[in-house]
Amino acid sequence: MPADSHPALAPSSSPEINKLAAAQGEHRLLINGELTESSTGESFDNVSPATGEVLGTTSAATASDMQRAIAGARRAFDESSWSTDRDLRTRCLQQLQQALDAEVEDLRNELIAEAGAPHMMTRTAQLDWPLDDGLRFPMQMIKDFEWERTLPTSELRGVRSSRAVRKEPVGVVAAITPWNFPFEIVINKLGPALAAGNSVILKPASLTPWNATRLGRIVAEKTDIPPGVLQVLPTPDASVTEILSVDDRVDMVSFTGSTGVGRRIVEKSAGNLKRTFLELGGKSAMIVLDDAEFATALPHAAQACTHAGQGCALSTRLLVPRARYSEAVDFVTHVFQSLSIGDPADPRVYVGPVISARQRDSILGYIAQGVSEGGQVTTGGTSAPELPDHLSGGFFVSPTVIAGLDNSSTPAREEIFGPVMTVIAYDSEEDAIAIANDSPYGLAGSIFSASTERALAVAHRIRTGSISINGGLYYGADSPYGGYKTSGVGRQNGIEGFEQYLETKSIAWIAHQEGQLHD
């Protein structure tokens, strides 16, 4: 691994990607089956995080637009056959899958341009993985799910009753999605929500709107999804978004984003006790047990810089045995120095830009805070050096390692959302477990050990929703994902995620009136 003090820089090609994305970006809203401009003609800029240049504009939904979309979604759920016709839902989702497959390279270019997603990441969790199963798994659930089950006959107070339990869609679901993995999160919300029979109002992040508005255009032009079943309303106006939390016609809010915004959604929706699914922040620990081989385990620390560290599940606290602390710091420093940083359009780039100047400055502020608390930056700590001229206006942060801090420090406790890892020493296995659990968050984590059995025993004691052992991948539309503590409420994906978009109804009838319940 190179021992120089700066990450490797890769050549760039984003001007072409940006031009292509700008030419194809869908700027319209989808309301009641129609692609339309904002009611007031308002729009907002879509800015490339790699260059700082405006890619184009997107219509900004207003309060009037949102009210119209809610009314349409309510009508579509209450009056169309979408909620009851499983064959219709299957056919429409198959159409959507085929249309998305046909436009996969345009989606890829858009994600590179508007999200700054490195090309190599679009081959995994940013695009290819969720495109492969984000709709297909829920479609299979339509067929395989136990929509109704019978209970034993009851005899209470002399009444002999036949009984059944029935699953029905929740109703109108508001899906509010973030900017870091925009397509992945959108498709993993829409898939189960629509397959379960709900109508959905999608409010994508205003920093990355085009992947969602493209999907809206595809739904309008290439599927038989009834008007109003899916609405797509990007807006930078938080007051417009908050209508979804307070309006009685919306039955559920499905939100992925920061813990702070999650709390506000709960507060706003408390008045009508609206159901909420919240996938929130994280501060995951990567535990390297004392029997692990550093050469095998520590290269995985690079995953903290995936998508420039902008992932809620990324392990950004590295826990290593105190006796080998210096060795571990040196090793992970070299790992971070070897990571290529630059144009996200280049297939060789691992670390692209962060989403905005505001995010870059926040990350650098956390690093400075760590230094003020006694931490030592062993690599990084600055904006990316010596980038090509066309990237000079972009928002970059060098992969950064902070040593010399304990778990009470600010960088170890707060979600930085950047390519920053804090290396923390522990004294024993019990100490490592205690440090990992000493966090307000509980989303994910990883463990490395020469013994799978030992690692599993440790994993069972870590209070998080997901754990990777020795590099194992828990990702998939069939795998429930979510957190403990302030990392959220509920699960996305899997059977648990599908059931989240369903209500449960118990029915009883006099036993001699035999007959199967039907939709």
Side-chain angles (χ1 to χ4, degrees):
M1 296 181 182
D4 53 52
S5 60
H6 298 300
L9 299 176
S12 52
S13 56
S14 67
E16 292 74 19
I17 293 291
N18 288 347
K19 289 176 184 176
L20 185 61
Q24 298 179 338
E26 175 57 64
H27 69 279
R28 292 169 293 180
L29 316 173
L30 176 64
I31 302 179
N32 298 330
E34 296 183 357
L35 297 168
T36 181
E37 309 288 345
S38 162
S39 59
T40 61
E42 294 179 59
S43 64
F44 60 94
D45 290 340
N46 193 356
V47 176
S48 163
T51 67
E53 298 174 354
V54 175
L55 297 169
T57 61
T58 308
S59 287
T62 65
S64 174
D65 295 324
M66 189 63 77
Q67 294 288 354
R68 189 157 61 95
I70 293 172
R74 186 76 260 168
R75 186 166 54 250
F77 180 79
D78 292 339
E79 300 177 11
S80 81
S81 62
W82 182 258
S83 65
T84 58
D85 190 338
R86 296 174 201 160
D87 290 338
L88 171 65
R89 300 203 297 266
T90 299
R91 184 178 81 248
C92 289
L93 292 178
Q94 288 172 339
Q95 293 169 340
L96 180 55
Q97 179 72 58
Q98 292 168 0
L100 289 170
D101 287 341
E103 298 190 17
V104 61
E105 294 309 316
D106 293 333
L107 274 165
R108 192 181 317 281
N109 290 335
E110 251 167 21
L111 287 166
I112 293 169
E114 71 173 347
H119 181 278
M120 68 171 63
M121 280 301 302
T122 69
R123 297 293 178 182
T124 58
Q126 281 284 8
L127 178 60
D128 286 2
W129 290 355
L131 182 59
D132 182 60
D133 65 3
L135 292 178
R136 289 189 175 96
F137 177 79
M139 277 191 279
Q140 189 63 39
M141 287 291 290
I142 295 175
K143 176 183 177 182
D144 296 342
F145 186 71
E146 187 178 28
W147 294 94
E148 179 186 301
R149 72 181 190 272
T150 58
L151 300 177
T153 299
S154 169
E155 296 195 29
L156 296 174
R157 303 178 69 177
V159 178
R160 190 166 184 267
S161 301
S162 296
R163 299 178 298 160
V165 177
R166 176 184 172 89
K167 297 290 187 176
E168 299 176 347
V170 168
V172 176
V173 175
I176 305 173
T177 59
W179 47 260
N180 58 329
F181 283 75
F183 177 81
E184 190 269 346
I185 296 171
V186 164
I187 209 69
N188 281 317
K189 287 189 186 295
L190 294 188
L194 292 174
N198 300 283
S199 59
V200 181
I201 302 166
L202 172 62
K203 207 301 288 184
S206 59
L207 292 173
T208 54
W210 283 353
N211 65 96
T213 53
R214 171 183 291 275
L215 191 147
R217 192 254 307 154
I218 288 173
V219 165
E221 296 179 349
K222 299 185 179 182
T223 78
D224 296 323
I225 294 176
V229 166
L230 178 65
Q231 320 270 24
V232 182
L233 288 90
T235 180
D237 189 337
S239 67
V240 173
T241 304
E242 285 192 344
I243 294 171
L244 295 168
S245 295
V246 300
D247 196 298
D248 289 343
R249 295 169 294 178
V250 177
D251 300 292
M252 175 180 177
V253 176
S254 177
F255 170 74
T256 299
S258 72
T259 296
V261 175
R263 286 193 178 101
R264 184 168 179 85
I265 287 173
V266 171
E267 292 169 359
K268 289 291 181 178
S269 63
N272 52 20
L273 298 179
K274 197 184 305 296
R275 181 183 295 193
T276 55
F277 161 63
L278 307 171
E279 194 271 285
L280 307 175
K283 195 67 186 178
S284 302
M286 173 180 168
I287 303 173
V288 180
L289 295 176
D290 57 15
D291 62 349
E293 290 287 341
F294 276 14
T296 301
L298 289 181
H300 288 269
Q303 293 177 8
C305 299
T306 298
H307 192 32
Q310 298 169 120
C312 48
L314 300 178
S315 292
T316 55
R317 292 182 293 155
L318 176 59
L319 277 54
V320 297
R322 189 176 302 278
R324 301 183 68 186
Y325 184 79
S326 296
E327 179 188 355
V329 169
D330 289 343
F331 197 114
V332 76
T333 295
H334 286 300
V335 169
F336 274 42
Q337 289 171 348
S338 73
L339 301 178
S340 57
I341 181 170
D343 193 322
D346 191 303
R348 294 165 291 179
V349 163
Y350 188 80
V351 182
V354 298
I355 194 65
S356 66
R358 178 180 179 182
Q359 184 64 18
R360 177 199 60 202
D361 295 345
S362 173
I363 296 164
L364 295 176
Y366 273 113
I367 296 170
Q369 179 65 29
V371 172
S372 73
E373 293 177 13
Q376 298 92 46
V377 173
T378 64
T379 190
T382 63
S383 296
E386 303 172 15
L387 289 167
D389 288 344
H390 81 279
L391 299 180
S392 61
F395 318 121
F396 292 85
V397 177
S398 293
T400 300
V401 175
I402 305 178
L405 294 176
D406 62 25
N407 199 55
S408 67
S409 64
T410 300
R413 299 203 69 77
E414 297 189 19
E415 187 176 40
I416 298 175
F417 233 57
V420 181
M421 174 163 271
T422 305
V423 187
I424 301 170
Y426 68 81
D427 295 311
S428 65
E429 180 180 299
E430 289 294 322
D431 189 33
I433 293 169
I435 292 171
N437 286 334
D438 181 18
S439 172
Y441 299 106
L443 188 56
S446 57
I447 301 167
F448 291 84
S449 172
S451 166
T452 301
E453 183 178 2
R454 182 186 180 193
L456 283 168
V458 172
H460 296 160
R461 299 177 63 191
I462 303 300
R463 300 284 295 167
T464 64
S466 300
I467 289 282
S468 166
I469 292 175
N470 291 333
L473 297 176
Y474 49 76
Y475 183 88
D478 60 348
S479 177
Y481 175 73
Y484 292 19
K485 299 184 279 186
T486 63
S487 286
V489 177
R491 293 294 181 270
Q492 182 164 288
N493 293 345
I495 297 171
E496 292 83 356
F498 190 79
E499 289 185 321
Q500 199 155 248
Y501 294 100
L502 295 170
E503 290 281 14
T504 300
K505 179 180 289 182
S506 295
I507 305 175
W509 64 99
I510 301 302
H512 62 76
Q513 298 175 349
E514 298 294 344
Q516 181 66 33
L517 297 181
H518 298 286
D519 286 340

